[in-house]
Amino acid sequence: MLSDITFGQFYPTTSFVHKLDPRSKIILLIAYIVAVFIADNFWGLLAAFLFLCVAIAFSKVPVSAVIRSLKAIIFLALFTFILNILFYAPKEGDTVLFWRISKEGIITATFFASRLLLLVAGSSILTLTTTPVNITDGIESLLKPLTYIKVPVHVLALVMSIALRFIPTLADETDRIIRAQKARGADFESGNILSRVKAFIPVLIPLLISAFRRADELGNAMDARCYTDGKTRTKYKKLSFTARDLVSVILMAALITGIVFLNIYDPILF
Amino acid sequence: MRIVADKITFTYNRKSKFATRALDEVSLEIAEGDFLGIIGHTGSGKSTFIQHLNGLIPVESGRLTVGETDLFAGVKKNKKQLKNLRSRVGMVFQYPEYQLFEQTVFDDVAFGYKNFFPEADKEEIKAAVFGALDLVGLDRSVLNRSPFDLSGGQKRRVAIAGVIVTKPEILILDEPVAGLDPLGKNELMALLHRLHKTSCKTIIIVSHDMDEVADNCNKVAVFSEGKIIKVGSPKEVFNDYEGLTALRLDVPITEYIAMKLKEKGVYIDTDFSSEDFVKKLVDFYKNVK
Amino acid sequence: MQAIVFDGVSFFYKPSEENELPKLILNDLSLEVEKGAFIALLGKNGSGKSTCAKLINGLLTPTSGTVSVFGLPLSGENTDLFEIRSKVGMVFQNPDNQQIASIVEDDIAFGPENLGVPREEIGRRIDYALKVTDMEKFRYSQVARLSGGQKQRIAIAGALALNPEILILDESTSMLDPKGRREVTEVARNLNREKGMTVIDITHYMDEAAEADEIYVLDDGKLRKKGDPSEIFSDEEMLAETGLELPRASKLAKELRLQGLPLKKGILSKEELLEELCVSLRIK
């Protein structure tokens, strides 16, 4: 069934990384992204890569799952790689191989492509080890201070959580409507783009109507359960930091320090 | 058109770790003229099975023949063939009114006809839509109204009209009376009988209501965990009180009474339709008197 | 004590076009529901049943007349809607459209969170609600993966977490298979019997209604008749006019009677029918 969509990429198992508080994972990811960005040489990226390997090892997520998540951006990575090669303006002293392609250009391109791959692989560890529900909870909790400047954090989190709740339902429904219209001879596969888009009208309209109906009924169900976004609201789920979170934060600090160090004392590589 | 399914098997998400076997070597023969009732719990494979019959789900392994169309695993099906099959095997999904989308009843009913017969002219389309509307017992005055303004029961009939507009020889309905009030339910069952007598030679319904099946069907297939565990006339299938209750399925009330009377030494030879059951009991009563 | 009182309640939606007449959904409806009763509310589609349900917890307000719950009027200016809503738990028709959260326990927590119930107490309420609905195993499950009957039991649990005194099932069993239907009605019946919960079951299933203490029949926005099941199901004229039918056993008994088999009127269940048959057929 399509119900598994809500889990997104989540890889169900228990591990050190799975058990981390979602808030620390989000913060760690941000720190990791910063670390990858401040690294200005390959040594820094290597350090980030090693950190990533450790994280994968501790997450018990198979490497293939991480690689699969890279598939989606492999074209983007290739694209940036080629663009970087082509648009690298050779400076004086660079080794031009042919036309405007230089050794330095290739190195720069490799650097940027690796950085992109490292960023995506890092993010995928968050999504592989944390359910979307927990990510939402984490974001809500982290953004809480914003309520003081009148940002409706709770409402935003609720919207996110309802969306997550209804994705599988609507996905199943879409599937059913497509089948029903196929049974009535609808053809979604032939013709040019315009006629294909047109072919989806018999799917989109019932889906929209149903989404409105669902929204209306859900609204009633929420009101019947005394829905309020007021300040008196309590929260059942409590996120809590543990020693694990502390350990990982220290590791991350080590990575950033390492990268800064490597930036300054760049051991000549090429 | 006859339907012959021979050991068809189907697995959802075959390649993923969530793989679930939905059908497990299901064999079933449905003769032209049958009014077949398919019963079984949610998730027993009923819906998966019926969607094979018009090629919505491709056969994974086994042999399936619908009329003269082979839907075997491995047989290449071209689009034209599938379209032709679907125009002759109508499929009404659960809550079909949720699939209405056109601005008028006429356009919605005509949708299927235009898809299947793109070369049809206006007059032909009109005739087909009128015919379908008459069959489902809706007044032609609704033709220019929006389908969304109709009552629940009417919407469902519009949706059914949108399927029978191509005059399918086989009509399959997944829980056709679900969610209707008693009035709507009775009307819809009457409609199915009318269709069975007139345009659709074979009718297949998926139902949870055993009394409905006993009263209306001449053949019953019981699905459980992807297998057909029993198939035959209502008399043969419902006679097995223990077997059905062991599966936590309901039995028709007639079967309950007949079984209890049998325990007391009175055998009523009935096919479990309420009509026949009443007749046999009254005969018995007259003999006692 | 009266749990619910409708006093001359009328309700209509404002017509969308100006010169159109408003369609009266409830027409001067008066009724009372005793605390601790198990009531079935019947009537064909459009008879006003669901509107009644929504009036009871203030999802709608009457156009005229008053609705009160445990003596608290719903339409006054000082009405605390939350207080009333927390007394009236509601379960709706579509099992898919009632859960807010993806995980069962988070969803059940939604109501008490809104009411500002402290964390530990919410935990206790979740324990209780899951136990009563026999869903303890599914505490950490994904809502989307549950069956229809299980989703409706979660909806009941979500309502129970508000600590209500009235439970309204608004066609909650109509989209379920027989198994799911049994699960849901069983939970409602146990709540009524063991905890004295007032239950209002709006349904299209006559067999389900036949097991209620009392049946209220709505027709055209009015209370057409109320009475115990045997009273209601022996008034065939009224049933025909209001678009209702007999429970399975009563229907069969009626056919037998018409064919000349002497059977008493008012048979409601298959067990009763069997007993009566044994008498008429002189079977021991």
Side-chain angles (χ1 to χ4, degrees), chain B:
Chain B
M1 293 207 295
R2 211 164 69 109
I3 299 172
V4 184
D6 184 21
K7 292 192 176 161
I8 57 176
T9 295
F10 188 79
T11 316
Y12 280 106
N13 303 323
R14 192 152 38 128
K15 284 175 191 156
S16 88
K17 56 180 181 282
F18 300 109
T20 38
R21 169 77 41 111
L23 288 181
D24 193 0
E25 300 204 340
V26 167
S27 300
L28 182 66
E29 224 183 290
I30 305 163
E32 190 168 295
D34 271 346
F35 199 128
L36 170 74
I38 296 183
I39 60 181
H41 287 301
T42 310
S44 59
K46 299 167 299 182
S47 295
T48 310
F49 176 73
I50 57 171
Q51 290 183 58
H52 276 80
L53 305 183
N54 69 349
L56 279 179
I57 297 182
V59 178
E60 181 184 300
S61 82
R63 303 160 72 87
L64 174 65
T65 315
V66 179
E68 56 280 9
T69 315
D70 287 334
L71 293 163
F72 299 176
V75 171
K76 265 267 178 245
K77 269 92 35 184
N78 61 39
K79 237 179 228 167
K80 216 172 141 196
Q81 221 180 346
L82 270 182
K83 256 193 165 170
N84 180 277
L85 177 75
R86 285 179 191 158
S87 74
R88 299 171 69 193
V89 181
M91 172 88 67
V92 179
F93 279 77
Q94 242 185 80
Y95 301 100
E97 58 275 24
Y98 291 167
Q99 282 114 43
L100 300 173
F101 70 98
E102 283 283 9
Q103 293 181 352
T104 67
V105 170
F106 183 94
D107 288 339
D108 213 293
V109 175
F111 176 69
Y113 196 82
K114 287 185 195 157
N115 282 333
F116 287 123
F117 310 109
E119 66 289 340
D121 62 32
K122 269 191 180 155
E123 285 311 307
E124 283 173 293
I125 296 173
K126 221 165 142 183
V129 172
F130 284 7
L133 217 62
D134 290 347
L135 272 173
V136 298
L138 277 175
D139 194 86
R140 287 185 192 175
S141 64
V142 302
L143 278 173
N144 291 318
R145 290 173 61 187
S146 157
F148 305 108
D149 289 342
L150 305 176
S151 77
Q154 285 176 319
K155 273 187 204 163
R156 187 160 301 182
R157 279 189 280 170
V158 170
I160 293 176
V163 173
I164 61 170
V165 70
T166 56
K167 296 224 165 82
E169 291 154 65
I170 299 173
L171 183 64
I172 306 169
L173 304 102
D174 194 351
E175 292 191 55
V177 299
L180 294 179
D181 62 5
L183 216 61
K185 237 173 229 185
N186 294 338
E187 281 172 6
L188 195 65
M189 285 320 292
L191 161 64
L192 293 189
H193 277 287
R194 213 157 59 232
L195 287 174
H196 193 220
K197 280 198 198 95
T198 52
S199 68
C200 308
K201 293 187 190 111
T202 310
I203 291 197
I204 301 172
I205 58 169
V206 169
S207 178
H208 285 301
D209 186 335
M210 301 300 158
D211 299 85
E212 189 181 283
V213 170
D215 280 351
N216 298 293
C217 301
N218 72 322
K219 193 171 184 177
V220 186
V222 187
F223 275 73
S224 178
E225 292 173 10
K227 289 190 167 94
I228 292 187
I229 49 164
K230 211 162 181 120
V231 60
S233 66
K235 188 171 179 170
E236 289 159 348
V237 171
F238 289 128
N239 211 356
D240 178 19
Y241 184 84
E242 276 78 30
L244 290 171
T245 44
L247 287 172
R248 310 245 318 139
L249 284 169
D250 290 344
V251 294
I253 184 168
T254 49
E255 151 63 3
Y256 170 82
I257 304 273
M259 186 271 309
K260 290 289 178 190
L261 289 176
K262 201 158 128 195
E263 281 177 3
K264 294 175 192 287
V266 176
Y267 177 63
I268 309 285
D269 182 24
T270 171
D271 65 7
F272 304 112
S273 69
S274 40
E275 197 184 331
D276 182 69
F277 184 71
V278 167
K279 191 172 155 287
K280 299 285 166 62
L281 263 185
V282 171
D283 288 349
F284 179 82
Y285 169 69
K286 282 177 184 152
N287 282 335
V288 174
K289 215 166 54 172

Side-chain angles (χ1 to χ4, degrees), chain A residues 19 26 52 83 92 136 147 182 187 189 200 224:
Chain A
K19 283 188 199 151
I26 294 167
L52 189 71
L83 278 190
E92 220 167 299
T136 311
T147 23
K182 263 191 183 167
D187 185 354
E189 283 126 27
F200 270 96

Side-chain angles (χ1 to χ4, degrees), chain A residues 233-260:
Chain A
R233 214 172 179 279
T234 45
K235 191 127 180 70
Y236 171 61
K237 202 173 239 170
K238 212 165 138 191
L239 301 170
S240 52
F241 291 110
T242 59
R244 269 189 295 273
D245 298 285
L246 191 66
V247 170
S248 44
V249 168
I250 292 171
L251 282 174
M252 180 56 77
L255 173 69
I256 295 178
T257 323
I259 286 178
V260 171

